[in-house]
Amino acid sequence: MAAQPPRPVGERSMGSPREADRAPARSPAWAPTQARTPGAALVGQRESPESGLQEHYSNLCMEKSQKINPFILRILQEVDEEIKKGLAAGITLNIAGNNRLVPVERVTGEDFWILSRILKNCLYINGLDVGYNLLSDVGAYYAAKLVQKQLNLIYLNLMFNDIGPEGGELIAKVLHKNQTLKYLRMTGNKIENKGGMFFAAMLQINSSLEKLDLGDCDLGMQSVIAFATVLTRNQAIKAINLNRPILYGEQEESTVHIGRMLKENHCLVVLHMCKHDIKNSGIQQLCDALYLNSSLRYLDVSCNKITHDGMVYLADVLKSNTTLEVIDLSFNRIENAGANYLSETLTSHNRSLKALSVVSNNIEGEGLVALSQSMKTNLTFSHIYIWGNKFDEATCVAYSDLIQMGRLKPDNTDVEPFVVDGRVYLAEVSNGLKKHYYWTSTSGESYDHSSNAGFALVPVGQQP
């Protein structure tokens, strides 16, 4: 059950928690009133960089009788230090609640109310990451206000914040008039089909947003179809994530509609369709569209039900498609036959594909060796990820040779050779197309090119 939204100090009670949860869809009664005290004017004067964000935050918390969040205070102190060094241009404020390198007190909706008041006039901050916190629909209201007022914000990460359909509606509607935000990440917020429809409607109007991430948001078939329809006309979106919608039935309607969209859309560069229950007929629909599409460079169809029969269609389209650079087939079941189809095309025809992930596809030695051989003749093919398949001695030797001769760079694959008693084996290393998509490295590097090769090869709408 969702927690009761926090109520700013001094506001009247709204009644039951259920009523409070519904408030964002109507007039948000919990929105704080403008302070009329002389102290408020003094605080407003401290919104310039010279006064220091840390000091401004402490003073505003004191004025509003709000508990100071030590995590926010620490991050603002670091930003103040950057400003003093003359690094004030284009700062991304990282207040993600999954930071395991420093003590974290997760940000609530009430915390974000104070934070948003500070940031609305900080024009040198153009990115904000508050993922993995406790904003809920209350925080979504203030996030919408921030997007409306902070006209330099180009990146906003709200992933996994317990934002529901009503909070999603608030954020989607404020983007109707916004012309600055380029990258919005709503991953893991259960905005459901209702919220998804508001975002689809927003894309009919918004002409500036370039990357939208709605993965794991419990979208329904209706909203997936709406996105496919809207993207036939939207000329701004270059990357979209529609991972793991809630779909019913076996007709693969989502791939039918997205396939039609790809035939008409010539701007989309990155498409994520993980966990769409795609089977061979679905991948055929997508491949039929890729004969006509000349913009898509990154296709993610991981975690589906594609077998070696589906690879016949993909291998065939790769013979003529000169745009696709990254394909993620992880966690399907293409087996040796599918790997052989791809290897033949990559060896003899295709010279545009750079990266391929076939992680956990039940491929045995023969298919893996075939893919390694294609790298010897195809010099464009530079990244391959194979962990989770069945390695025999020939496979281990083949990939060890590729790495030793310098054809396959250690950072461009997820295996590393080692020798025991004169025999070569392969160990797993933490490289991949999007290893750090949902989590942050404990080593302190949240964006590492070797662990996020897909985004490095196709850098669309990246955070600042």
Side-chain angles (χ1 to χ4, degrees):
M1 180 180 294
Q4 179 178 359
R7 177 165 49 89
V9 176
E11 292 301 303
R12 62 182 178 83
S13 172
M14 292 174 53
S16 68
R18 188 175 299 276
E19 290 171 348
D21 282 333
R22 288 197 299 266
R26 305 190 299 273
S27 177
W30 33 258
T33 56
Q34 289 290 334
R36 303 297 182 187
T37 62
L42 293 175
V43 171
Q45 294 172 9
R46 297 189 181 98
E47 293 185 357
S48 65
E50 290 78 5
S51 65
L53 293 177
Q54 183 186 20
E55 179 186 355
H56 185 192
Y57 174 69
S58 299
N59 291 338
L60 193 55
C61 285
M62 188 178 301
E63 180 202 345
K64 300 298 181 183
S65 301
Q66 168 71 20
K67 176 181 175 293
I68 291 176
N69 185 313
F71 182 42
I72 295 178
L73 197 66
R74 178 189 179 114
I75 299 301
L76 294 181
Q77 180 182 7
E78 293 175 358
V79 173
D80 284 341
E81 291 173 358
E82 288 189 34
I83 294 170
K84 290 178 182 177
K85 295 175 183 177
L87 305 175
I91 294 175
T92 295
L93 199 61
N94 187 348
I95 315 181
N98 65 337
N99 189 327
R100 289 174 285 181
L101 302 173
V102 297
V104 170
E105 182 177 325
R106 295 196 174 185
V107 180
T108 65
E110 197 168 11
D111 290 328
F112 196 77
W113 164 45
I114 301 293
L115 184 63
S116 64
R117 292 192 55 159
I118 295 171
L119 298 181
K120 66 180 181 181
N121 292 323
C122 294
L123 301 183
Y124 48 88
I125 291 178
N126 64 1
L128 176 61
D129 182 349
V130 286
Y132 291 99
N133 281 297
L134 305 170
L135 300 190
S136 71
D137 286 346
V138 174
Y141 169 78
Y142 297 114
K145 288 290 186 183
L146 182 62
V147 169
Q148 186 178 35
K149 296 179 180 179
Q150 219 283 31
L151 300 181
N152 275 24
L153 199 66
I154 62 175
Y155 168 65
L156 179 60
N157 186 343
L158 297 171
M159 65 186 297
F160 291 99
N161 261 294
D162 295 326
I163 297 172
E166 290 153 350
E169 176 184 353
L170 290 168
I171 294 169
K173 285 185 174 179
V174 81
L175 289 174
H176 285 201
K177 296 182 179 180
N178 181 276
Q179 296 181 352
T180 55
L181 195 69
K182 300 295 183 184
Y183 181 8
L184 174 63
R185 191 165 187 189
M186 292 289 293
T187 322
N189 292 298
K190 308 307 180 185
I191 63 172
E192 302 175 354
N193 193 69
K194 177 184 176 182
M197 292 300 292
F198 284 110
F199 275 97
M202 175 271 294
L203 292 183
Q204 291 182 301
I205 302 170
N206 184 287
S207 60
S208 59
L209 195 66
E210 294 182 1
K211 187 172 182 178
L212 177 61
D213 190 337
L214 295 174
D216 297 89
C217 285
D218 288 0
L219 301 178
M221 180 62 76
Q222 183 185 17
S223 54
V224 172
I225 293 174
F227 280 112
T229 303
V230 169
L231 289 175
T232 59
R233 293 182 175 85
N234 184 292
Q235 302 297 308
I237 289 288
K238 293 180 172 59
I240 191 163
N241 185 332
L242 299 174
N243 286 351
R244 212 218 67 178
I246 305 298
L247 305 178
Y248 300 97
E250 299 292 329
Q251 302 303 313
E252 299 190 69
E253 293 98 328
S254 65
T255 52
V256 172
H257 288 275
I258 290 176
R260 290 173 181 169
M261 176 271 291
L262 288 174
K263 291 179 180 179
E264 299 183 39
N265 182 294
H266 300 290
C267 297
L268 194 66
V269 176
V270 178
L271 174 62
H272 293 275
M273 293 183 66
C274 175
K275 299 180 183 178
H276 268 246
D277 203 24
I278 299 174
K279 304 179 185 68
N280 294 328
S281 58
I283 195 68
Q284 181 182 11
Q285 294 282 345
L286 296 177
C287 289
D288 286 347
L290 291 174
Y291 285 106
L292 302 175
N293 184 283
S294 58
S295 64
L296 196 69
R297 295 168 55 196
Y298 187 163
L299 175 63
D300 176 8
V301 287
S302 58
C303 302
N304 283 294
K305 299 179 179 179
I306 305 168
T307 71
H308 56 84
D309 289 335
M311 292 302 97
V312 174
Y313 308 115
L314 184 58
D316 192 58
V317 77
L318 286 175
K319 293 178 180 178
S320 57
N321 183 290
T322 58
T323 309
L324 276 173
E325 296 179 5
V326 180
I327 298 179
D328 192 347
L329 290 166
S330 305
F331 303 100
N332 282 284
R333 199 174 180 83
I334 70 170
E335 302 177 315
N336 276 359
N340 285 328
Y341 291 138
L342 293 175
S343 173
E344 181 183 353
T345 295
L346 293 173
T347 300
S348 305
H349 299 85
N350 185 280
R351 290 296 181 271
S352 61
L353 194 72
K354 296 179 180 178
L356 174 67
S357 178
V358 290
V359 170
S360 296
N361 264 276
N362 201 34
I363 306 173
E364 299 179 2
E366 177 192 344
L368 294 171
V369 171
L371 287 172
S372 73
Q373 294 301 314
S374 64
M375 297 197 79
K376 293 182 178 180
T377 56
N378 186 339
L379 301 182
T380 307
F381 186 26
S382 57
H383 296 63
I384 187 165
Y385 305 93
I386 62 171
W387 186 258
N389 294 294
K390 300 178 181 179
F391 301 157
D392 59 7
E393 186 173 4
T395 300
C396 297
V397 170
Y399 285 88
S400 176
D401 289 346
L402 283 176
I403 294 172
Q404 289 179 2
M405 71 175 61
R407 176 61 191 90
L408 178 59
K409 295 181 179 179
D411 283 349
N412 294 354
T413 186
D414 57 350
V415 294
E416 181 180 38
F418 65 97
V419 179
V420 175
D421 294 334
R423 179 171 175 177
V424 180
Y425 296 89
L426 296 177
E428 183 184 17
V429 291
S430 187
N431 297 332
L433 292 178
K434 50 177 185 176
K435 278 279 186 176
H436 292 169
Y437 196 70
Y438 292 104
W439 56 280
T440 304
S441 172
T442 55
S443 63
E445 181 58 66
S446 60
Y447 185 82
D448 182 77
H449 291 308
S450 62
S451 296
N452 299 278
F455 304 120
L457 290 169
V458 187
V460 176
Q462 289 301 332
Q463 65 191 69

